[in-house]
Structures are given as structure tokens and as C-alpha cells.
Amino acid sequence: SLDWGYTDDNGPSTWAEKYPLAAGARQSPVDIDTSKATSDNSLVDREIDWSYPSNCSYRIVNTGYGWRVDTYGDDTALSGGPLSEVYKLEQFHCHWGATNDEGSEHTVDGKSYAAELHLVHWNSEKYSSFKEAASQPDGLAVLGVFMEIGNADNAELEKIISLIPKIIHKGQDSQASFDLDFGSLLPESKHYWTYLGSLTTPPCNECVIWTVFKEPITISERQLEVFRSLKSVGEEDAIEPEEGKLVKNYRPPLPLGNRVLRECGP
Ligand SMILES: Oc1ccc(S)c(O)c1
Ligand SMILES: [Zn+2]
């Protein structure tokens, strides 16, 4: 089974034992203390620009600590905002909690959202692979999108959620090509906070330029329950039906320390 996870005996407070980077000074997530955010001119008119194709083939996989959609980011591009180069979309995934009052990784003035979507991009202008980029301080650019519970399903996410019953157990995957409109996975407002941080899962490499959108998107309670139905163990692990469910997979915030937190947007 996994050597790290989100239970009491393998959760975030134990990660540094096997993954020393997890104890670094540039870790993610952080609490976004809005009174500390500077809106200096360094980002003025530097809005985040993305271009994602409307139809792509994807693979969704149960990693044992969540679901992850691997994209084949040929004609994807993320630029602008805090980024000096063009980044390609590698994958996206989500973090959530056991109840709706927790689940996001970043928090805003101490407030948690029910879940948080991460769209992971890598600096394909400077580096030749995602793996190489993940070892560099400017290697990855991750967009963080807060998710709150609303009455309506999120139609775009439903295309992904409908595949989850096929990957209930760790290691299972499903290939699908659907026209996913990424734009609708992002909020209307492009107002964001940005800071230098890390992967929020082991090995917690300090290689991420984070951009966290201020405005959440909404998903329904039913959709979030589907996330929680994923299992962290393989089909071969004989366990009771209710056991091994991935009811939460979020890392609590780490200190911002002396890092700069900038904000940009209307
Ligand atoms: O490549 C990545 C893995 C995990 C997480 S949380 C990321 O933000 C990027
Ligand atoms: Zn993540």
C-alpha cells in the first residue's frame, strides 16, 4: 500500500520522515492572509492567459490518494500573470474533505472551501520533460480553484465524475476522449493570489509557481460524495465495502514564512 496518505498513521504530519522536502520553507498549501497580499505594479495588466483545446483524449486514474486526469498537453498553453514562460497542461486533480466545511488545501483568512481543483502545468519552454521541470524552482505552474457546494451539478466536472465508478480501486484507470471545456472549470473572475510553493503531496518538491483564484466554482454535494467513494486500496485488497474510502485527501496549510504573497485582478 502507499507509504504516505491522509490517515492518522501516514498523514501530512508524518510525511517529513520519508520525504524531507515536506519540512522545507517553501511548502504548500498556505493560508492566504488577505491583509498580507501586496498588489504592487509587478502584475498590473498581467492577467493569466490559458488556451486549452475543446476536444482532447484523457486518461483518468485512481492514484490511491485521489483521481487524476492525465492530459496530453500538446496544444495547451498557460502564460501571463506571474509566469515568464509558456507552460503546458500535464494533469489535473482534486483535493477534498470528509465534510463540506473542510477539504480545500489553501485557505483564505482561515476559511476552508469544500474542495480544491489543481491544474498542473510545466515549463516546456525551459525544460524538456515534466519530470525535469518538477525538480526546478520555476518548473511547474499550478492553478488552484476553490470549489464550494451549490445546488447545481457542475456540468463539465460531471464528464469526469461519470468515469469514477470505473476507477473505484487504486491503480484502475479509464481512457476517454471528451470535449472538456476547461474554461468552465475556471471561475469567471481572473482575480488571483500568487506565491512560490510546492507540490502538496509527497515528495513535496518546491517547484511550483502557485496561482490561486479568489472566486470559487460550485459543485453539488452528490458530485463531492462521488469523490469520497474512491478507494485508497487496490481491488485485490480484501476489505469491507465501507473500508478504505478516500473521504479526505487535503494537506493543511504550512507557514508562508518570509515569502511574498501578491494579488492581481479586479
Ligand atoms: O504534479 C503535482 C502533483 C501533486 C500536486 S498537489 C501538484 O500540485 C502537482
Ligand atoms: Zn494537488
Side-chain angles (χ1 to χ4, degrees):
S1 71
L2 277 170
D3 60 357
W4 63 271
Y6 297 91
T7 65
D8 292 345
D9 55 12
N10 68 4
S13 60
T14 72
W15 292 353
E17 294 158 24
K18 291 178 185 161
Y19 300 96
L21 296 178
R26 181 190 150 166
Q27 288 293 292
S28 293
V30 296
D31 175 47
I32 293 168
D33 177 340
T34 56
S35 69
K36 276 190 197 160
T38 62
S39 50
D40 56 22
N41 292 335
S42 62
L43 291 169
V44 72
D45 299 337
R46 297 268 305 148
E47 70 172 24
I48 277 275
D49 280 321
W50 57 78
S51 98
Y52 299 131
S54 63
N55 193 312
C56 245
S57 68
Y58 301 97
R59 168 181 175 262
I60 185 167
V61 56
N62 178 331
T63 56
Y65 46 87
W67 57 265
R68 189 189 70 217
V69 173
D70 295 326
T71 62
Y72 307 105
D74 301 337
D75 45 1
T76 63
L78 180 75
S79 60
L83 307 177
S84 307
E85 287 90 21
V86 178
Y87 289 64
K88 278 193 189 313
L89 180 66
E90 170 76 7
Q91 51 105 328
F92 60 95
H93 62 272
C94 200
H95 301 266
W96 60 84
T99 55
N100 299 343
D101 59 353
E102 56 176 27
S104 65
E105 300 209 298
H106 293 89
T107 53
V108 182
D109 295 333
K111 173 192 162 67
S112 291
Y113 287 88
E116 185 173 328
L117 184 67
H118 287 163
L119 294 115
V120 179
H121 307 72
W122 62 281
N123 191 335
S124 56
E125 232 177 274
K126 279 177 80 171
Y127 308 115
S128 55
S129 71
F130 169 81
K131 191 167 181 305
E132 182 197 358
S135 66
Q136 308 293 328
D138 60 351
L140 302 191
V142 182
L143 299 182
V145 185
F146 292 125
M147 302 166 102
E148 67 182 3
I149 301 298
N151 296 326
D153 282 352
N154 181 301
E156 280 317 300
L157 269 178
E158 192 54 32
K159 294 174 187 170
I160 294 155
I161 289 168
S162 61
L163 296 171
I164 286 186
K166 296 181 182 177
I167 58 163
I168 288 296
H169 289 99
K170 177 175 164 241
Q172 290 180 318
D173 70 346
S174 171
Q175 190 67 37
S177 76
F178 36 70
D179 54 344
L180 201 61
D181 167 19
F182 282 100
S184 68
L185 289 180
L186 300 175
E188 272 174 37
S189 164
K190 287 194 171 181
H191 184 126
Y192 64 83
W193 292 287
T194 182
Y195 74 100
L196 299 181
S198 72
L199 310 185
T200 68
T201 55
C204 300
N205 303 20
E206 298 185 333
C207 62
V208 180
I209 298 173
W210 277 96
T211 298
V212 179
F213 288 105
K214 180 174 181 180
E215 182 187 314
I217 62 171
T218 59
I219 63 170
S220 65
E221 171 73 40
R222 179 196 65 81
Q223 290 181 310
L224 196 47
E225 281 300 330
V226 176
F227 290 176
R228 298 181 182 126
S229 70
L230 280 170
K231 296 216 169 189
S232 61
V233 293
E235 215 164 358
E236 65 287 349
D237 296 61
I239 55 169
E240 294 304 313
E242 277 312 299
E243 270 188 291
K245 282 194 170 183
L246 248 175
V247 288
K248 68 176 184 180
N249 62 357
Y250 71 94
R251 186 188 195 186
L254 288 305
L256 181 69
N258 61 4
R259 287 177 278 177
V260 173
L261 173 66
R262 294 182 289 166
E263 74 174 316
C264 178

